[in-house]
Amino acid sequence: MKTIHAIVHAEKPELATIWKAAEIIRAGGLVAFPTETVYGLGADAQNAEAVAKIYVAKQRPSDNPLIWHANNLSAFEDVAEFGDKARLLSEAFWPGPLTLVLPCKIPEKMQPPLKTIAVRVPSHPVTRALIKASGCIIAAPSANLSGKPSPTRARHVMKDLNGAIEMILDGGSTSKGLESTVVDLHGDTPRLLRPGAITLEMLQAVIGKISVPKASELEGEAPISPGMKYRHYAPHAPVILVDEGQAHSIARDYEADGKSVGILETSKYESLELAAQDLFDRLRQFDEEGVAIIIVEMVAEEGIGLAIMNRLRKAASEADAIVW
Ligand code: TXA
Ligand code: MG
């Protein structure tokens, strides 16, 4: 298959291009598109054959369900049960980088038969234009091959999925750079399943108590977030997490042994938001350069720092990192 690579204006996407992408979605094909978090790989959520193609293209285990994307809450009223907390969070943070796991109202979903469904209303103009033009709810995981870091640039998607999908809408780099915050609201106490740009502190300010389970605490339960069963991205080279200011002296020890070292100094960014935006791109670059060791400065686990450390711990393969 020849993948169409179409450049689109990120703020004011050209309608002819969006229309072409929407036709592909309506016809049961796959389109990768930018969102405010990472690039997604979209299909018509209610077309089982189209959704199945996502799993093939990404080589994703078939029991790992997808997030459904629509332009407003009312599009989800028939598929998900919105309680008080879900409504409060959606009012506060939608459209935006927040995914809610809610009781599922669809008796026979196309997805593996979970009792819950993950829904999100994205804010990126390209995503919104595509949803509107297609007239569909769009099911979309991150547009990477399973086991690779989520794509934050169109070239990451090309590297992983060129030839396997119909089209890529290239709207430049994504602004947040980390996948959406996932909050599970189906039980008694809300749980943070994946930290992201909507921070724990922001969520607590709206709905109060939220638990932050560790992967080991969820073991043995029916899968809360099936994603946790699968090995998350880890670069080829071992990742070593060090305190701020330590990266170069530790790197010198490895270099003295003749090893090539990739260094990521998170403290050199003007803000943690900018470090988050760059993180997956840097990890992909280290793999491409073929470095022997990757040394990354840790950040404080508060605000967006919780999400950054979560992805870094996964990259460093720390066993007890919280779910994502
Ligand atoms: O920012 C994002 O969330 C991006 C963009 C494209 O929206 N999407 C994304 O999707 O990161 P994905 O499939 O790569 O990650 C979704 C996570 C997975 O860990 C999946 O297991 C979990 O959400 N998930 C999906 N449905 C769920 C459900 N019903 N219950 C619990 N976890 C669920
Ligand atoms: Mg993903």
Side-chain angles (χ1 to χ4, degrees):
M1 180 188 308
K2 172 123 180 60
T3 300
I4 303 164
H5 177 206
I7 310 252
V8 275
H9 195 286
E11 297 302 321
K12 285 195 180 150
E14 295 77 1
L15 279 183
T17 313
I18 294 294
W19 197 251
K20 189 176 180 102
E23 273 180 353
I24 292 171
I25 297 277
R26 278 197 301 268
L30 304 185
V31 176
F33 54 85
T35 82
E36 67 275 29
T37 57
V38 299
Y39 274 75
L41 178 59
D44 174 356
Q46 301 184 69
N47 176 339
E49 270 174 46
V51 170
K53 289 183 198 165
I54 292 180
Y55 287 84
V56 174
K58 274 193 61 121
Q59 298 165 26
R60 179 175 174 111
S62 63
D63 61 347
N64 191 2
L66 307 178
I67 298 172
W68 286 27
H69 300 72
N71 279 348
N72 44 56
L73 186 152
S74 58
F76 294 131
E77 296 273 17
D78 291 341
V79 301
E81 188 74 56
F82 284 80
D84 293 347
K85 286 177 180 159
R87 286 184 196 277
L88 284 172
L89 288 178
S90 65
E91 273 160 31
F93 302 117
W94 279 356
L98 175 68
T99 296
L100 301 177
V101 173
L102 302 174
C104 181
K105 284 192 187 170
I106 314 169
E108 279 177 49
K109 282 203 306 142
M110 333 293 179
Q111 299 298 304
L114 291 181
K115 293 197 176 67
T116 57
I117 184 160
V119 292
R120 163 159 124 79
V121 173
S123 64
H124 195 293
V126 173
T127 328
R128 295 185 66 81
L130 180 62
I131 292 169
K132 187 173 177 199
S134 69
C136 304
I137 296 179
I138 295 185
S142 48
N144 50 288
L145 279 177
S146 237
K148 297 276 180 194
S150 293
T152 54
R153 315 273 192 274
R155 68 180 147 76
H156 302 160
V157 183
M158 288 297 273
K159 178 135 208 300
D160 283 11
L161 298 174
N162 192 21
I165 63 178
E166 276 80 2
M167 186 172 188
I168 299 176
L169 291 173
D170 179 348
S173 58
T174 60
S175 63
K176 304 296 180 197
L178 301 176
E179 308 87 346
S180 62
T181 304
V182 180
V183 179
D184 172 19
L185 290 172
H186 93 282
D188 292 339
T189 308
R191 307 212 238 193
L192 181 66
L193 295 185
R194 182 172 73 182
I198 304 296
T199 64
L200 181 59
E201 295 86 345
M202 290 160 77
L203 298 165
Q204 282 164 337
V206 177
I207 57 165
K209 189 173 160 36
I210 300 172
S211 69
V212 183
K214 291 189 190 293
S216 58
E217 289 169 31
L218 294 174
E219 262 169 33
E221 283 188 32
I224 293 300
S225 195
M228 69 172 289
K229 287 196 304 190
Y230 304 105
R231 190 175 154 75
H232 194 249
Y233 173 72
H236 296 304
V239 175
I240 300 172
L241 305 180
V242 303
D243 288 330
E244 187 181 331
Q246 297 298 305
H248 285 283
S249 64
I250 293 172
R252 274 193 292 276
D253 291 344
Y254 286 101
E255 282 160 352
D257 283 347
K259 291 191 169 131
S260 59
V261 182
I263 298 177
L264 178 50
E265 288 173 286
T266 50
S267 60
K268 289 279 156 70
Y269 290 88
E270 269 177 41
S271 68
L272 286 184
E273 282 71 19
L274 290 174
Q277 191 183 51
D278 223 23
L279 179 65
F280 290 148
D281 188 47
R282 293 298 304 278
L283 291 178
R284 279 182 178 259
Q285 280 176 28
F286 288 139
D287 265 357
E288 276 166 29
E289 289 162 16
V291 299
I293 304 280
I294 299 170
I295 296 178
V296 187
E297 275 180 359
M298 293 187 280
V299 302
E301 283 178 275
E302 55 195 30
I304 186 75
L306 184 66
I308 294 174
M309 281 306 296
N310 170 252
R311 304 315 190 273
L312 287 179
R313 291 191 198 287
K314 287 291 169 189
S317 300
E318 287 188 11
D320 213 17
I322 53 175
V323 179
W324 276 87

